[in-house]
Amino acid sequence: MDSAYAKCVSSPGSDAIGGEPGAMIRPLRIMHVVDRLDLGGTEKVVMKLVRGFEPGLFEHYICTLRGAATATGEWASGVTVLHAGREGAVFQFNVPRLVRVMRAVRPAIVHSRNWGGIEAIIAARIAGVPVAIHSE
């Protein structure tokens, strides 16, 4: 097995990066958190990033906090899109919902973007996600 591949995968019963020799391995799960999935710049950057990863090595989830435009269904094909918040709500406290989603998906990495998704960092810490990243 290629050592670079072994570093990017984990065994089925574990969330740790790297599998044991001879063990079945699964793709590394990455959850991208965005405020809303529209056809804007942030979303295009996320989709370009997702499409740049090797499909067999990584499993991507996009989690929205305030819904998604109906036109993004086809655009986001091949990626699991989850909704943690309520569409159209002006003020929401999404940390408890995000924690539930993260515990269900069990990502190895959470990457949130823009101030609309900053609460994902708090949720990731509570949910026990090993790596949490926020970028603007």
Side-chain angles (χ1 to χ4, degrees):
M1 179 185 314
D2 182 356
S3 63
Y5 181 76
K7 291 178 184 176
C8 296
V9 293
S10 55
S11 59
S14 167
D15 287 334
I17 297 173
E20 295 180 19
M24 287 189 55
I25 48 180
R26 67 169 173 81
L28 184 70
R29 290 184 185 148
I30 303 172
M31 180 179 287
H32 307 270
V33 180
V34 295
D35 184 51
R36 183 169 164 76
L37 191 59
D38 279 313
L39 300 174
T42 299
E43 296 81 1
K44 288 180 182 177
V45 168
V46 171
M47 291 310 297
K48 187 174 184 179
L49 178 69
V50 165
R51 290 187 177 131
F53 280 89
E54 184 70 34
L57 298 179
F58 301 93
E59 190 175 298
H60 295 276
Y61 294 80
I62 296 178
C63 183
T64 71
L65 301 177
R66 288 167 185 81
T70 55
T72 59
E74 185 77 23
W75 183 60
S77 65
V79 176
T80 303
V81 178
L82 307 166
H83 307 288
R86 294 184 310 266
E87 190 166 348
V90 177
F91 175 78
Q92 304 180 57
F93 184 66
N94 290 312
V95 172
R97 286 187 203 92
L98 279 168
V99 169
R100 282 193 296 275
V101 169
M102 289 176 190
R103 285 182 175 160
V105 172
R106 295 172 55 187
I109 301 169
V110 166
H111 189 181
S112 65
R113 288 168 179 81
N114 297 338
W115 282 108
I118 191 73
E119 62 261 45
I121 300 302
I122 298 165
R125 293 293 176 230
I126 294 169
V129 176
V131 177
I133 304 164
H134 180 79
S135 61
E136 287 295 315

